[in-house]
Amino acid sequence: MTENDEIRNQFLNSLKLGTGKTYLILKQNPSIDFSDLIVKGAVENFAYDAQAEGSRANYIFKLIQKSKQKEKITSTILTKLVSKKTDDYGLDQLCDLAVLFHKAGNLKAKDALYKRFEKNIIDGYEICGQSQMMEIDGLNGVLKYAEIIGEILSKDVDDYEQSWRIDSFQKDNKQIDVYKEIEKASKENIFIEVFYKSILEHKWKIPRRKKTKRFTYEIVKEKIDSEKFFFISSEKANELSVFDVEKLANEFLIEKNITQKEHYLSFFSKRKFPFDYKPILKIANSKSPKNSRLNEYAFECLQYFSAKEIRDIAIEKLKSEKNTTDYLNLLVGNYEIGDYKILNNIADKSDDYDYIHSIVFGFLDIYKANKTKECKEPLEKIYHKMNCGLHRDDILEILNENGVLSKEIVTEMEFDSNEKVRKMFRLPAIAKPRNVGGN
């Protein structure tokens, strides 16, 4: 492998993660052509949870603007947009890029978005570009959106369109009476008429905030006694009085039904068991009945206790078990100096995104509860392997709070795909290296 190949691999890895290292590599290696990799990052949203994280279009656009092959990359991306059939998150990102290209003065971007939008009526093409059409071409975009979606609706009597996109456009464009304009156009275009009727019949309203009931013993007991899946948040579990929690604990100690025991343990995984941990430890050390999650819930309940025997189990499990996710929380209350080595080994087991995402929660809980400079190595390993921007800011906060946020990572933060990370970079609490950022 040549040096250039190695640099390109580093670029692609950072691109998939969404870290700002991509921009710095691009800046430091003007002679290397990264255009094919940038196009790859534009066509596919590499975020671990693209629905939650959203489009990375701004991140990709900044790379394109910095590249010497800007025109070539832009042209290729617009061609990909027109031809791409499926992958809604990738399509949404391509549509967002078309808007950014248009705002930057590219005269072909609007045409490409129109061509792809018209393909929404063709079988096999996922619908995309509704909001971007309106953003890129104002009222004309609204009417094109109405016409194409109206044609789709006309083919399926059970399909419908809600009004929220139009309402959002109206909110941002108060000088236009959008509904009046759509109504006017509907008199001359049957598809716009179908669209207009649909949004009137399916007006979107902001859901009223219901006043949530305070959780009581009776509510929790009803859920525990049911055969349905039981879940409660820590916030809700903490609404119960000490008396009620002890009442639930006493009932748990005499409960025989496996499903209901699981439900009790599910509750005590969110609120500390008020008595001695030994009965829960016994369940954790026992073989669970078939199709039961007693062990898993028991280990979650033990996270609130500090004891040598719990720590001993944690260390043994974390060193021997292939899947360590269920045991990481045992270290929250039982962490000792030097345990970072165990966590390093766990992080080193795999580069798989699913694996890294499964352990990040435990790592974060451990180091939120245990302030120590030892967090540096384990959390940096996660940072360099994780493609979830939503958890990256949590990692950086902990590193910064412990005074071990490296200059290298700070330099990357300015160009991260995650907006919270970029905002964090601008905070006075983040010490900036000299010559950081720039064009």
Side-chain angles (χ1 to χ4, degrees):
M1 183 181 288
T2 66
E3 183 181 355
N4 279 9
D5 289 337
E6 179 59 34
I7 292 171
R8 277 171 53 83
N9 282 342
Q10 290 176 14
F11 181 90
L12 179 59
N13 178 62
S14 177
L15 182 71
K16 290 181 176 180
L17 301 183
T19 62
K21 189 173 182 178
T22 48
Y23 187 87
L24 300 175
I25 292 174
L26 193 65
K27 181 180 177 182
Q28 293 159 7
N29 298 276
S31 63
I32 299 178
D33 184 357
F34 297 100
S35 57
D36 59 323
L37 302 182
I38 295 173
V39 170
K40 185 188 288 283
V43 172
E44 181 178 354
N45 187 330
F46 286 113
Y48 185 81
D49 186 345
Q51 183 177 18
E53 192 169 326
S55 168
R56 287 181 171 181
N58 286 309
Y59 172 71
I60 299 295
F61 183 73
K62 196 169 185 68
L63 295 175
I64 296 169
Q65 293 298 94
K66 187 64 181 174
S67 173
K68 286 187 173 182
Q69 295 81 26
K70 178 171 68 172
E71 300 303 323
K72 170 188 168 186
I73 295 170
T74 302
S75 178
T76 302
I77 288 173
L78 291 176
T79 300
K80 295 281 188 183
L81 168 60
V82 174
S83 63
K84 192 171 178 63
K85 289 185 174 183
T86 59
D87 179 14
D88 51 355
Y89 299 120
L91 276 169
D92 191 55
Q93 186 166 273
L94 286 171
C95 291
D96 284 342
L97 281 166
V99 173
L100 293 173
F101 295 155
H102 175 73
K103 289 179 176 179
N106 188 301
L107 301 178
K108 296 179 180 179
K110 183 167 78 171
D111 182 56
L113 185 61
Y114 262 83
K115 285 179 178 177
R116 176 58 183 85
F117 195 75
E118 288 171 348
K119 289 184 177 182
N120 285 336
I121 62 176
I122 303 173
D123 287 343
Y125 281 82
E126 287 186 17
I127 298 174
C128 67
Q130 299 97 310
S131 298
Q132 293 90 343
M133 281 293 300
M134 294 187 287
E135 185 175 359
I136 210 170
D137 204 20
L139 182 58
N140 289 331
V142 170
L143 297 179
K144 188 65 177 180
Y145 157 47
E147 180 181 8
I148 295 297
I149 298 302
E151 184 171 353
I152 294 169
L153 297 178
S154 69
K155 297 175 182 178
D156 184 353
V157 294
D158 294 323
D159 201 0
Y160 62 89
E161 184 77 356
Q162 290 186 320
S163 68
W164 65 270
R165 287 190 181 91
I166 294 298
D167 295 337
S168 179
F169 180 86
Q170 179 66 85
K171 184 179 178 182
D172 295 335
N173 297 272
K174 293 183 171 60
Q175 74 280 10
I176 303 172
D177 189 336
V178 183
Y179 276 86
K180 186 175 181 179
E181 294 295 335
I182 296 173
E183 181 186 19
K184 188 194 304 180
S186 72
K187 298 183 187 307
E188 299 178 4
N189 187 305
I190 189 171
F191 296 134
I192 295 180
E193 182 183 9
V194 171
F195 175 88
Y196 184 56
K197 286 180 179 178
S198 185
I199 62 170
L200 290 180
E201 291 172 6
H202 299 91
K203 284 290 289 180
W204 187 80
K205 295 180 180 179
I206 298 175
R208 287 187 177 181
R209 254 184 149 178
K210 292 182 180 179
K211 189 175 181 181
T212 54
K213 291 182 179 180
R214 180 183 177 87
F215 259 49
T216 62
Y217 164 83
E218 288 75 22
I219 293 175
V220 175
K221 189 70 171 79
E222 182 182 349
K223 290 180 176 290
I224 288 173
D225 290 342
S226 74
E227 293 296 318
K228 298 177 182 178
F229 173 74
F230 176 72
F231 172 81
I232 186 172
S233 66
S234 297
E235 181 183 19
K236 287 298 179 184
N238 286 329
E239 288 181 357
L240 269 68
S241 68
V242 173
F243 175 82
D244 285 341
V245 173
E246 290 181 351
K247 189 174 180 181
L248 290 170
N250 282 316
E251 291 169 353
F252 160 72
L253 292 173
I254 60 174
E255 182 59 63
K256 302 298 182 185
N257 181 281
I258 299 300
T259 300
Q260 290 179 11
K261 283 180 77 71
E262 285 183 335
H263 289 177
Y264 278 109
L265 288 174
S266 178
F267 174 82
F268 289 117
S269 71
K270 303 300 181 182
R271 173 86 177 253
K272 185 177 180 180
F273 188 69
F275 305 141
D276 190 87
Y277 62 82
K278 293 290 177 64
I280 295 176
L281 182 62
K282 183 179 179 180
I283 294 173
N285 284 330
S286 301
K287 186 177 180 180
S288 281
K290 189 177 180 180
N291 299 323
S292 166
R293 298 175 66 186
L294 283 175
N295 286 110
E296 178 187 337
Y297 286 133
F299 278 115
E300 288 185 27
C301 296
L302 291 173
Q303 68 181 289
Y304 300 105
F305 295 93
S306 298
K308 183 180 182 306
E309 56 185 331
I310 295 176
R311 174 175 166 77
D312 289 344
I313 291 174
I315 300 304
E316 189 272 323
K317 293 287 187 183
L318 293 175
K319 287 183 176 180
S320 63
E321 293 288 336
K322 186 176 181 180
N323 183 4
T324 58
T325 305
D326 295 340
Y327 312 108
L328 283 168
N329 277 345
L330 296 182
L331 275 191
V332 171
N334 295 282
Y335 187 91
E336 292 183 3
I337 295 301
D339 285 347
Y340 78 96
K341 296 175 185 176
I342 298 172
L343 299 183
N344 278 347
N345 290 334
I346 291 170
D348 286 337
K349 282 184 178 180
S350 175
D351 294 340
D352 179 76
Y353 295 138
D354 286 330
Y355 173 78
I356 295 300
H357 195 259
S358 73
I359 63 175
V360 68
F361 299 96
F363 278 48
L364 290 171
D365 287 342
I366 288 167
Y367 286 120
K368 282 176 183 176
N370 298 274
K371 304 298 182 185
T372 170
K373 292 185 182 297
E374 281 193 353
C375 70
K376 180 177 171 62
E377 283 188 41
L379 292 184
E380 281 193 356
K381 286 179 182 289
I382 297 292
Y383 171 87
H384 290 300
K385 292 185 176 189
M386 183 179 64
N387 66 336
C388 176
L390 301 178
H391 283 114
R392 193 152 53 241
D393 65 303
D394 294 323
I395 286 174
L396 298 175
E397 281 181 9
I398 294 173
L399 289 171
N400 190 54
E401 286 170 2
N402 286 283
V404 291
L405 182 56
S406 71
K407 292 181 179 180
E408 176 191 354
I409 290 179
V410 171
T411 306
E412 296 174 8
M413 289 170 63
E414 184 178 5
F415 312 105
D416 197 272
S417 64
N418 183 271
E419 185 179 4
K420 285 183 70 176
V421 172
R422 298 196 300 273
K423 286 182 177 179
M424 194 188 308
F425 169 81
R426 297 193 288 271
L427 294 175
I430 304 294
K432 317 293 192 301
R434 288 186 178 182
N435 301 321
V436 67
N439 299 311

